[in-house]
C-alpha cells in the first residue's frame, strides 16, 4: 500500500496480513481528501482506530500540520510505529483503546477520522467522548467509516451532512451544531421559484439542502442525476446551499442526519391544503417541523416552465441563472 498524493506520494505503508488490520481502500482514502481538500492544509488530524495509520499519514502528506494516532492491537502497533516515522515529530501515537485514549489528549482537532472494526457501531460512544473532552474544534468534522450494511444515525447535537457509499464501505461526514433545513421536491426541473425559496430559507438557517425526492405517484421526465445537475448549477456559489438525493422517505433521511426542519414553498390555496397535510405527516412520523415560505413568484412552476418550453416560448424568466441551457438540453426532446 502506498501514499496516494502529496509530499510523501509513493512511499510505502506497511500493514500486518490477516484480520488484525482492515486498511481503508485507496479509492475511499482518496475520496476523503478530495472532499476535505480545502480543510486539510494546516489541520490537526486525529486518526482513531488507526491500524497501519494510512489515513493519518495521507493527511500529513497532503498538508496536515500534526497527526495523532490511536490503536490498541499490539501487532498493528508495530507496523504503525514504523509508518509514523515518516512524520518525524509531527506524529504521535496513543497505544490502547481508541475511545478511552480520547480522555488523555490535549488540544483540539480540525478533523477526526474514525474507522472502527465493522462489527462495532460506536459512533454514539465516540461522539460522547469527544463532547466530554471538547477535542473537536468549532467547525471541525468527524469522518466515520462503516460497513454499507450498517445504518448510522447522528447522535444528539450532531448531524450527518454527507454520506458516500463505496461498495462495502460508507463514509459519513458529521459536524456539530448549526441550523440546517431540507427543501424537498421532485424538482422536475428546478426553477427560479425553487431557488428563491432556498435563498429565503438561508435567511433563517445556516445551511439548506435542496433534496431531490422520489415520488412514485409523480413520474418525472428527467433522471435523478440530470435533476441534480440542474440544481447544482442553480445553487453554485450560494454559501450554505447544497444538493442531495433521497430515494426513500424524507423524514427518514432527516432523522438519520439529525435534521429537524423542513421548508416548503407555497404559491396558492390549493398548494396550502396539500402542504399542510404533508407537514402533519412529517411531524407525526419524524418529529419534523415545517416552515412555509412564499417565494413571491407564484406564477413560476416546473409545469408552467415545461409548458412554455413545449410551445417554443422564452423560458428565461422561469429558470434559475445558469440552468436554462441545461433544461433545454435535457427536456426539449422529452
Amino acid at each position: 500500500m502506498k501514499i496516494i498524493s502529496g509530499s510523501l506520494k509513493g512511499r510505502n505503508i506497511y500493514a500486518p496480513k490477516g484480520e488484525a488490520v482492515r486498511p481503508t481502500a485507496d479509492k475511499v482514502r482518496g475520496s476523503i481528501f478530495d472532499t476535505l481538500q480545502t480543510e486539510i492544509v494546516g489541520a490537526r488530524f486525529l486518526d482513531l482506530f488507526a491500524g497501519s495509520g494510512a489515513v493519518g499519514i495521507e493527511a500529513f502528506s497532503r498538508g496536515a500540520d500534526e497527526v495523532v494516532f490511536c490503536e490498541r492491537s499490539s501487532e498493528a502497533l508495530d507496523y504503525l510505529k514504523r509508518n509514523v516515522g515518516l512524520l518525524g515529530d509531527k506524529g504521535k501515537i496513543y497505544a490502547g483503546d481508541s475511545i478511552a485514549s480520547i480522555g488523555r489528549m490535549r488540544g483540539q482537532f480540525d478533523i477526526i477520522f474514525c474507522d472502527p472494526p465493522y462489527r462495532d457501531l460506536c459512533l454514539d460512544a465516540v461522539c460522547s467522548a469527544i463532547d466530554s473532552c471538547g477535542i473537536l474544534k468549532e467547525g471541525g468534522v468527524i469522518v466515520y467509516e462503516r460497513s454499507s450494511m450498517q445504518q448510522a444515525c447522528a447522535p444528539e447535537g450532531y448531524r450527518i451532512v454527507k454520506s458516500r457509499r463505496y461498495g462495502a464501505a460508507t463514509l459519513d461526514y458529521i459536524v456539530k451544531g448549526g441550523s440546517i433545513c431540507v427543501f424537498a421536491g421532485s424538482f422536475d426541473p428546478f426553477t427560479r421559484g425553487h431557488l428563491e425559496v432556498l435563498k429565503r430559507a438561508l435567511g433563517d438557517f445556516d445551511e439548506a439542502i435542496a433534496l431531490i425526492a422520489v415520488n412514485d405517484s409523480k413520474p418525472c421526465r428527467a433522471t435523478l442525476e440530470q435533476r441534480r445537475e440542474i440544481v447544482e448549477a442553480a445553487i453554485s456559489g450560494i454559501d450554505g446551499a447544497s444538493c442531495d438525493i433521497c430515494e426513500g422517505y424524507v423524514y427518514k433521511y432527516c432523522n438519520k442526519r439529525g435534521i429537524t426542519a423542513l421548508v416548503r414553498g407555497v404559491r396558492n390555496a390549493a398548494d396550502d391544503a396539500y402542504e399542510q397535510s404533508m407537514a402533519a405527516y412529517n411531524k407525526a412520523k419524524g418529529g419534523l417541523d415545517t416552515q412555509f415560505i412564499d417565494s413571491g413568484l407564484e406564477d413560476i412552476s416546473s409545469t408552467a416552465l415545461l409548458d412554455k418550453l413545449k410551445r417554443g416560448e422564452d423560458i428565461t424568466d422561469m429558470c434559475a441563472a445558469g440552468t436554462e441551457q441545461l433544461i433545454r438540453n435535457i427536456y426539449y426532446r422529452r
Side-chain angles (χ1 to χ4, degrees):
M1 186 165 50
K2 296 180 181 294
I3 298 299
I4 300 170
S5 186
S7 62
L8 299 176
K9 181 179 179 179
R11 300 292 291 270
N12 288 322
I13 297 292
Y14 301 97
K17 296 180 180 179
E19 299 297 320
V21 171
R22 173 188 43 75
T24 295
D26 287 357
K27 180 179 180 180
V28 180
R29 200 161 20 116
S31 173
I32 293 169
F33 295 104
D34 287 344
T35 300
L36 299 175
Q37 58 183 319
T38 60
E39 295 142 88
I40 195 66
V41 175
R44 191 163 186 249
F45 191 100
L46 173 58
D47 189 351
L48 291 172
F49 308 92
S52 66
V55 172
I57 296 169
E58 186 80 40
F60 178 79
S61 180
R62 296 186 186 229
D65 187 59
E66 180 187 2
V67 183
V68 174
F69 303 83
C70 296
E71 179 55 51
R72 68 179 179 184
S73 164
S74 57
E75 184 179 5
L77 277 166
D78 290 339
Y79 288 87
L80 179 61
K81 290 173 183 176
R82 178 181 179 184
N83 293 331
V84 172
L86 292 170
L87 279 63
D89 62 356
K90 295 295 186 178
K92 180 178 177 63
I93 298 173
Y94 285 84
D97 180 80
S98 289
I99 297 175
S101 295
I102 289 173
R104 299 157 51 198
M105 296 177 187
R106 298 292 178 268
Q108 293 184 308
F109 296 90
D110 302 278
I111 302 166
I112 298 176
F113 177 69
C114 180
D115 180 19
Y118 278 179
R119 65 181 179 273
D120 299 337
L121 261 179
C122 58
L123 180 57
D124 284 356
V126 168
C127 290
S128 177
I130 288 170
D131 279 344
S132 296
C133 304
I135 65 166
L136 182 65
K137 283 186 179 178
E138 184 176 352
V141 62
I142 300 168
V143 183
Y144 186 74
E145 181 177 342
R146 59 179 168 85
S147 166
S148 297
M149 301 297 291
Q150 298 170 329
Q151 295 295 320
C153 292
E156 185 175 354
Y158 289 84
R159 52 193 173 87
I160 299 174
V161 295
K162 182 186 301 182
S163 293
R164 291 290 182 266
R165 179 172 179 168
Y166 305 90
T170 292
L171 296 174
D172 296 314
Y173 294 82
I174 302 164
V175 300
K176 282 196 72 173
S179 60
I180 186 169
C181 68
V182 159
F183 176 32
S186 54
F187 302 135
D188 187 35
F190 194 81
T191 70
R192 187 161 68 92
H194 292 135
L195 182 62
E196 187 61 27
V197 171
L198 201 71
K199 289 164 70 174
R200 293 188 181 193
L202 285 168
D204 297 322
F205 296 90
D206 298 316
E207 296 182 39
I209 301 172
L211 186 66
I212 304 169
V214 173
N215 184 342
D216 292 334
S217 65
K218 188 179 180 182
C220 290
R221 301 163 186 82
T223 67
L224 288 167
E225 288 302 330
Q226 286 173 327
R227 284 177 275 157
R228 184 205 286 266
E229 185 181 7
I230 294 169
V231 175
E232 289 183 342
I235 65 176
S236 177
I238 300 177
D239 290 341
S242 62
C243 176
D244 204 355
I245 290 173
C246 173
E247 297 190 59
Y249 290 104
V250 170
Y251 75 84
K252 288 185 176 181
Y253 174 97
C254 294
N255 288 168
K256 177 182 176 181
R257 288 159 178 77
I259 300 168
T260 60
L262 298 173
V263 297
R264 298 292 296 169
V266 179
R267 294 190 308 271
N268 51 50
D271 272 0
D272 186 61
Y274 171 76
E275 295 295 348
Q276 290 292 344
S277 69
M278 288 305 300
Y281 174 85
N282 285 309
K283 182 67 173 179
K285 288 289 189 179
L288 304 179
D289 293 316
T290 301
Q291 177 175 322
F292 296 103
I293 295 177
D294 181 358
S295 70
L297 299 169
E298 62 274 3
D299 293 331
I300 296 179
S301 68
S302 298
T303 300
L305 188 157
L306 293 180
D307 283 346
K308 290 187 74 172
L309 181 63
K310 185 177 180 179
R311 295 192 298 266
E313 297 174 9
D314 184 14
I315 60 170
T316 305
D317 64 332
M318 291 193 167
C319 296
T323 67
E324 180 179 353
Q325 194 56 52
L326 273 173
I327 290 171
R328 289 186 178 280
N329 291 344
I330 291 169
Y331 287 92
Y332 182 74
R333 295 187 186 280
R334 297 174 186 271

